[in-house]
Amino acid sequence: MSAVAAFVDLLAGRRDAATLGPRDWDGLIGVARSEAMLATLAHRLDGAAVPPAVAALFADQRAAAEVAQRQALWEAEMARRALAPVGIEFVLLKGAAYAAADMTCAAGRQIGDLDILVLGADIRRAENALLKAGWEWVKSDPYDDHYYRAHMHELPPMIHSGRDRMIDVHHTILPKTHRITPDALALVSDAVTSGGGFAVLQPTDMAVHCAAHMLADGDLQGGLRNLWDFHLMTRGFAAADPGFWRQLDGRAALHGLQDAVHRAARLSRDLYGAALPGGWDRQDPADIWFRRRLLARDDWGRVTQPLLEQAFYIRSHWLRMPPAMLAKHLWTKWQKQHS
Amino acid sequence: MADRAYRAAPADTLRIEPLGELTAIFDRRSMQTHLVVSPVPEILDAMGADACTPAHVAERLAALFDMESAEEAQPILAERLSELAAMGLVERA
Amino acid sequence: MRHSARIAVGPVQFRIGSDWAGPVAALERLYAAYPQDDMRPADATVRLFAARPWRRWLRPSVHIGGDFIVPGALPLPLSMGLLAAEMGMNLQVALGWRRHLLLHASAVARDGRALIMSGESGSGKSTLAALLGEDDWRLMGDEFTLIDPAGGDAFAFPRAVSLKNEAIAEVAARVDPARLGPLLAGTPKGDIRHLIPRADAVAAMHAPARPALLLFPRFGGAAGIEPMGEGEAFVRLTEASTNYVALGEAGFAALTRMVRETPAFGITYPDSAAGIALVEELWAEAAR
């Protein structure tokens, strides 16, 4: 059996770690590392029967993820200290939000840049306040800067010089040029306060954003992790509120993201064994391409289907931009890579 | 700026270890290590859990260390406090 | 991958995959006498690969990858495949290891106590460790020293010593030629030749040693000793660690303890003999 299949089975709980042979672990750990999910797996298998060397590695990973999450949440705190005095409130997105709200999917989850959402009207002032508080622009490439400001859903990335951490300030959750325009005002105004004191998206919006980020915006890089987030959060939300799936449907429609959200739900069923209610539990022949892309890793953690990967890369840009603009963008990027 | 009030990090979030002429401060919230020299540890200690302006800190330090003029120390303390705020060790109250 | 090897250095089990046979064969020769446990899962994966399939044969150049990659790192020609493998192993440890506080430092031990030497490349810390390891010291490692955050003990990472430039002749004159790897001339780091540590150093690679002396050597100038305060030693060691930040409070606790319990000195020395004399002098005091 392939390592990536074993990995997904272990997460889903379809397979007992004790049934793995000693030589199965190399590939499994390799895949988990390339998906940035080794600490997630370490949490999932905490207490399971694994070889001593693996148990030690898992313990290291859990401890390191705990430190990394505190560091990530501190970035949120410092952003709050920079933005609160000028009266700007923000909503935490993605990994930092899951950690702030102490959600199941946060266990061991790697958190990269700090992603925050502010009202479009606040974006200039947010930029200024962050610059005054020690953040600076990462790159000064005029094409990239123009590209971000004209077409993207976020400011060009900024980095804090003292702490060496990046922040992405979003004003909506999909690029301006995307065929779909989510209701950004609703996202911010309906946000809820997490146990950690930070504002996070309300449950249905959080699931919509997770699916949008994975399927409508991205090229499925890190897809297994995003899908794992989606699976665990929807399962948790549905357990807390029996009406969750119905509300999610309505909210996805409001944002124009029903297709992405339904596909995320089907994929989480196919890969992680999610139980879906009627109306969600359907089949779509196109899903197979997504499953193949998600599972395209060999035992050395390498992407095994480069053409499929490339196709998803182009697809992600296709969704984000009108065709003429896409051609111009890919051409500019290509020239820069090859000059 | 000079009369801005700050509050120090709660004492249990900091691990303070004097290392000769330097003091290493580990902040459990940020997981960051700060290396500081006197009078920074004294400032944090003097602030306790209260919101303090530079004038308050000067008063308290004067009481503790028998300082000549608490008045003159204020601009320097205002500067130190603003640096500590950038490090996250104190926060605007 | 087409070719692969498993190597354990200190507490780290590596799995190295390669598109070519050469680098794997060279590694297996250097590490032939190291303990081998084929059933032990790998902690770290190194990949040596061609960027395009035809580059396996046509102007073959070795890209270094694995669990962690450094974007934009330049590939090496296949003739330097062994160096690529070694750089790959160092990279994975430097970026991925979390069980110990990782110091970019060489170390040798005597009577269960460790001398740790930290310095930039060119400081001579590698050469000093290699030479001491040929005397009555146990070589713990020429590149990394691992500190157990809980107990404070030093653990060895005795990879094959990477001798550079002048150090090659100096050490080669003293050891059995069978313990030397091939000469890699004109690499980006100069000439390089690997030295297989002595069998007793490899056999003892899991034995902890209590840090007893911290040295910050600088090659060149008259022989000199400068005592170093706890604060400065702390700062230098945080800079010499690749995972200090990632370990959080455990790293902080380990380092504060180490600089308090271990005397530290900066030393300058004009040649290896003088360096070794300084080391022995300071050790005689520290180990008393």
Side-chain angles (χ1 to χ4, degrees), chain A residues 89-145:
Chain A
E89 292 179 6
F90 61 83
V91 180
L92 282 182
L93 299 176
K94 302 188 213 172
Y98 309 154
D102 199 19
M103 294 166 59
T104 322
C105 62
R109 191 189 190 282
Q110 196 180 75
I111 305 174
D113 307 342
L114 177 68
D115 293 286
I116 65 171
L117 176 68
V118 301
L119 282 174
D122 283 340
I123 196 109
R124 289 283 153 214
R125 288 193 309 125
E127 180 181 349
N128 285 333
L130 291 170
L131 286 171
K132 263 171 68 184
W135 276 268
E136 45 195 63
W137 300 120
V138 174
K139 45 185 167 188
S140 49
D141 182 316
Y143 175 76
D144 280 338
D145 193 63

Side-chain angles (χ1 to χ4, degrees), chain C residues 158-288:
Chain C
R159 58 165 207 163
V161 176
S162 171
L163 301 169
K164 293 188 190 81
N165 301 321
E166 294 79 23
I168 297 174
E170 197 172 357
V171 175
R174 302 188 43 177
V175 304
D176 177 355
R179 284 179 52 210
L180 292 169
L183 176 69
L184 306 168
T187 78
K189 300 174 171 183
D191 291 351
I192 287 186
R193 200 162 181 191
H194 291 94
L195 167 72
I196 301 169
R198 280 193 338 215
D200 53 338
V202 173
M205 73 182 182
H206 297 302
R210 195 76 195 163
L213 180 61
L214 263 173
L215 294 182
F216 297 85
R218 220 173 57 220
F219 181 77
I225 296 174
E226 185 82 35
M228 190 179 287
E230 291 171 3
E232 188 182 347
F234 181 89
V235 174
R236 290 216 193 192
L237 291 176
T238 57
E239 287 167 357
S241 174
T242 55
N243 67 359
Y244 171 75
V245 172
L247 290 186
E249 189 170 356
F252 179 83
L255 262 198
T256 47
R257 165 152 77 185
M258 184 149 107
V259 299
R260 279 184 182 150
E261 293 179 355
T262 320
F265 301 89
I267 59 169
T268 51
Y269 61 102
D271 53 55
S272 300
I276 287 173
L278 288 179
V279 166
E280 294 287 359
E281 179 189 334
L282 289 168
W283 182 261
E285 247 169 74
R288 210 186 294 159

